[in-house]
Every structure is written in C-alpha cells, then in structure tokens.
Amino acid sequence: MFKIAKTAFVAPLVTGTIAFDSPDNELLTQYCAIERWTGDLSNGLFQLGERAARMHRLEQRSCGLLNLVRCYTLQDRNHVLELFEQAATVSSSFCFSTTIEIDGIRRQPVLCVGESTGLEQRYAGAIIGVFIFPRFHVENGHGISPAQ
C-alpha cells in the first residue's frame, strides 16, 4: 500500500489536540509498537526513535532517506522513495506499508503514516509521522511468529 494525498488541513495537527483514552492506548500497544519520527527537508535528515532505528537496523537515530529504506523489500523501496519525493514537493499526507528484511528474509511488517508541511519556501519544510510495528514478524516469508 502506497498512498499520498494533498493535505486538506489548514494547519498541521498539533500534538495533544486529539484525545486518546488510556484503554485505547492499552489495546493499541497490545497489538503494535508506535514511534514518532521527523524529517528536516532543509538538510534531508530523519530523526527516528530508538525502537524505529533498531528495527531499521540503523546504528544512529539520525539518517538519510536511502539509509532508512535500504532494509525494505526490494520491490517496495522505489515506491517508498517516490512517495517521499512527492511529499517533499507539496504539502501532503501519506501512508505506506512494507516489510523489513533481515539477511534477505522478510521479517518485520511496518506501516508508516505521515505528513509534510512548510514547503512554501524552497529547500524548507518538514515531514513528520509515525512508524507502526505490529507485534509479530514473518518467518521465512511464510508464517508469522510473535515479535521479540
């Protein structure tokens, strides 16, 4: 799944403006881990949380786009790069899902939802979003097992 749409929001979502009840949070964390990330379009660097960096097999939490997507399945990499390229040219909301490969074997499904803002000035703007990691991984491209 790779989707992008021009943002219809007058202003980007501000943290804490949507209520999220504790029971909802507990239910959600039972099935997946969620972590925020940001991207600075003026320098091309992404800042990931600790878990997202580890899941993407990165040694540092700061990285470029190519380093971020290198662990995605080969057939999805170009789609994700195109999606980020589009999001970097016009304020957009987007989402994608793919699988992180470890040693060429599909392992961890990952979903990403985000938006780009502040693109009115050339070489400026930001991309923000969340990674969602279901609490299972794919074994040898076939079955599933609980995530560690």
Side-chain angles (χ1 to χ4, degrees):
M1 170 180 67
F2 307 94
K3 300 289 181 189
I4 189 163
K6 187 171 167 73
T7 300
F9 300 119
V10 175
L13 180 64
V14 177
T15 303
T17 58
I18 295 179
F20 197 60
D21 295 335
S22 183
D24 292 335
N25 191 27
E26 289 175 20
L27 183 61
L28 189 58
T29 58
Q30 178 180 346
Y31 297 109
C32 59
I34 300 175
E35 197 164 62
R36 295 178 194 188
W37 58 267
T38 61
D40 183 344
L41 295 177
S42 67
N43 62 17
L45 288 178
F46 287 78
Q47 295 295 324
L48 308 181
E50 186 178 319
R51 178 182 299 232
R54 187 174 60 249
M55 294 290 221
H56 283 87
R57 308 204 35 117
L58 298 169
E59 293 180 17
Q60 298 179 343
R61 292 176 48 192
S62 180
C63 67
L65 181 58
L66 292 178
N67 286 331
L68 178 68
V69 303
R70 71 180 173 170
C71 63
Y72 295 164
T73 57
L74 184 59
Q75 65 268 25
D76 290 348
R77 246 180 257 160
N78 285 337
H79 294 295
V80 173
L81 289 171
E82 288 174 14
L83 186 133
F84 274 106
E85 182 180 325
Q86 291 176 29
T89 58
V90 62
S91 293
S92 310
S93 296
F94 60 89
C95 63
F96 68 85
S97 65
T98 186
T99 305
I100 292 175
E101 290 184 338
I102 301 170
D103 300 325
I105 300 170
R106 292 181 183 194
R107 295 292 177 140
Q108 176 64 56
V110 60
L111 294 91
C112 177
V113 180
E115 68 179 357
S116 59
T117 60
L119 299 170
E120 295 74 31
Q121 301 296 323
R122 189 178 174 131
Y123 305 116
I127 299 180
I128 59 171
V130 294
F131 286 116
I132 303 166
F133 300 101
R135 292 199 183 276
F136 61 84
H137 66 265
V138 179
E139 285 188 1
N140 300 325
H142 301 291
I144 61 173
S145 66
Q148 313 270 320

